[in-house]
Amino acid sequence: VESNRSGSGSVHQRSSGSLVDPSPAMATEQWNVRVKIETLDRGGVVVKNMWSVGSTVTVQIEPHATINMLKQRIALLVAAHMKHQTICTEAGEELDDIKKLQDCTTDGAVLLLHVRQPQEEEAPPVEISDDEGMWAPEEGDCELLPEDERFTMELTEDEQDKQNAAKGASAELLEDGDKAGALGKLTEAIMIGNPTAMMLAKRAEMLLKLKRPRAAAADADAALRKNPDSAKAYKIRGKAKRFLGDYEGSKADLDQAQKIDYDDDVADIHAYVTKRVAKLAQKAAQEAKKAAKEAAAEAAAAATAEASEGQAAARAAAAHVSRAAQ
């Protein structure tokens, strides 16, 4: 639907419901300002953007707009903050932000863009000290565990009596300082079948004291199969992983152990692995940032070289045409 009203205030109304004044006096003139990127120094910051040195960006903008307004448009296109932009004429004159385009250039003209972003202040490299508390790799296999159904089978009364007797013998040997003998008797009790989470955690604790962290972690795994909420099993496995150099795994287990049942005795080791995990993450982030920065620098150098080659080829072609015309 379209309706007209006579007079100087003529307005056209279209079916869309919008009001459009066709008066030429009210139409907004648009210029196409070509902005050539002469410098694109992002200060080492990696930015995903299609524009590079030598590229020309065409910006549609009103002639009465200021240089600052042009910079706002460029910031969106080139991903470069206005405060890091300098715009010059082709003659090299730097244009002030408050200057209007119609006062310093023309429609279709070329302006030169320089982006110079200051370098980010880099944090000092993260230094990871050697872990003098990590244990040497242990020798030998993990301790035996009941297989398949014997791990969960219900014991007969006779088997239960034998298991209790072996557990008692283990405790007595441990009191006498015979760690190896105590370990053997506890293994005997476990192999009768259906060991409790407490029995498995106890043997894991003994193994850790014997500096066998891999075997201790295996028993803690078994204990957690029996009781997923065993704080003792998490605590022992967390300690074992710390001595094996698995700091992230250690932190995760000690986080859970302290959540279930806080223990002052593991606070120091928990703090140590937490701090070490954080430092390792910082170091990894620094190394990734450095690699990305180097890759960006190589890409920028390649783009600059390609642009230079293109300009040289264009000049050579122009010279050839000129000679041919002569």
Side-chain angles (χ1 to χ4, degrees):
V1 176
E2 184 177 281
S3 62
N4 295 318
R5 288 190 308 195
S6 62
S8 60
S10 171
V11 175
H12 287 230
Q13 182 177 2
R14 294 192 174 90
S15 59
S16 63
S18 61
L19 295 178
V20 180
D21 189 341
S23 172
M26 296 297 292
T28 303
E29 183 183 1
Q30 294 285 314
W31 276 8
N32 288 312
V33 178
R34 293 185 295 158
V35 180
K36 184 179 179 183
I37 303 172
E38 290 285 289
T39 308
L40 190 55
D41 180 2
R42 299 190 186 276
V45 177
V46 179
V47 177
K48 291 184 178 180
N49 190 267
M50 64 180 289
W51 304 108
S52 59
V53 172
S55 300
T56 298
V57 183
T58 300
V59 180
Q60 195 172 64
I61 193 168
E62 300 81 5
H64 62 265
T66 62
I67 293 296
N68 187 64
M69 294 168 68
L70 177 63
K71 286 182 176 181
Q72 291 178 26
R73 306 278 180 94
I74 293 170
L76 295 172
L77 292 168
V78 183
H81 197 281
M82 294 158 50
K83 66 183 180 182
H84 300 142
Q85 297 179 33
T86 302
I87 295 180
C88 303
T89 64
E90 286 191 289
E93 178 191 355
E94 184 175 337
L95 300 177
D96 192 89
D97 281 357
I98 62 173
K99 202 156 193 174
K100 292 185 178 181
L101 292 171
Q102 62 193 14
D103 296 334
C104 60
T105 188
T106 58
D107 184 16
V110 175
L111 296 177
L112 307 182
L113 171 67
H114 300 275
V115 176
R116 297 183 181 91
Q117 185 170 330
Q119 290 280 341
E120 281 189 334
E121 191 171 328
E122 294 186 4
V126 176
E127 298 293 337
I128 307 293
S129 60
D130 292 336
D131 182 4
E132 296 179 358
M134 193 165 70
W135 292 345
E138 64 189 276
E139 297 179 0
D141 298 325
C142 297
E143 294 297 313
L144 295 173
L145 285 167
E147 295 182 359
D148 302 326
E149 70 277 359
R150 291 204 65 82
F151 189 73
T152 55
M153 65 177 288
E154 186 175 348
L155 301 183
T156 64
E157 187 174 335
D158 182 53
E159 288 172 329
Q160 189 67 62
D161 289 341
K162 288 179 179 179
Q163 190 175 72
N164 289 335
K167 284 165 55 182
S170 175
E172 290 178 6
L173 289 168
L174 192 59
E175 281 186 19
D176 294 338
D178 185 356
K179 294 179 182 178
L183 177 63
K185 277 295 178 182
L186 187 54
T187 297
E188 182 183 319
I190 287 170
M191 291 305 293
I192 290 171
N194 196 18
T196 64
M198 187 58 70
M199 289 169 62
L200 294 164
K202 179 64 178 176
R203 189 172 73 172
E205 186 177 44
M206 293 170 66
L207 289 165
L208 194 61
K209 288 178 179 178
L210 292 169
K211 290 195 173 183
R212 294 178 58 189
R214 186 166 56 85
D219 271 8
D221 286 344
L224 289 167
R225 283 164 55 198
K226 283 285 188 173
N227 178 11
D229 295 321
S230 172
K232 184 171 183 176
Y234 277 118
K235 179 173 68 174
I236 293 166
R237 192 171 70 176
K239 285 182 175 181
K241 288 179 178 179
R242 177 264 175 275
F243 295 121
L244 289 168
D246 178 7
Y247 306 109
E248 289 188 6
S250 174
K251 179 184 178 303
D253 281 344
L254 294 177
D255 283 348
Q256 189 66 17
Q258 296 295 70
K259 181 180 177 181
I260 296 170
D261 183 18
Y262 185 84
D263 185 351
D264 283 328
D265 291 341
V266 298
D268 287 345
I269 191 171
H270 188 204
Y272 174 80
V273 294
T274 298
K275 183 178 179 180
R276 197 163 181 94
V277 165
K279 290 189 75 172
L280 288 168
Q282 288 174 359
K283 186 173 181 65
Q286 281 188 345
E287 290 175 349
K289 185 176 180 180
K290 180 181 177 182
K293 185 176 178 180
E294 290 173 352
E298 289 178 6
T304 302
E306 185 177 348
S308 298
E309 289 175 4
Q311 291 169 0
R315 287 194 296 268
H320 178 72
V321 170
S322 177
R323 286 194 299 270
Q326 292 174 1

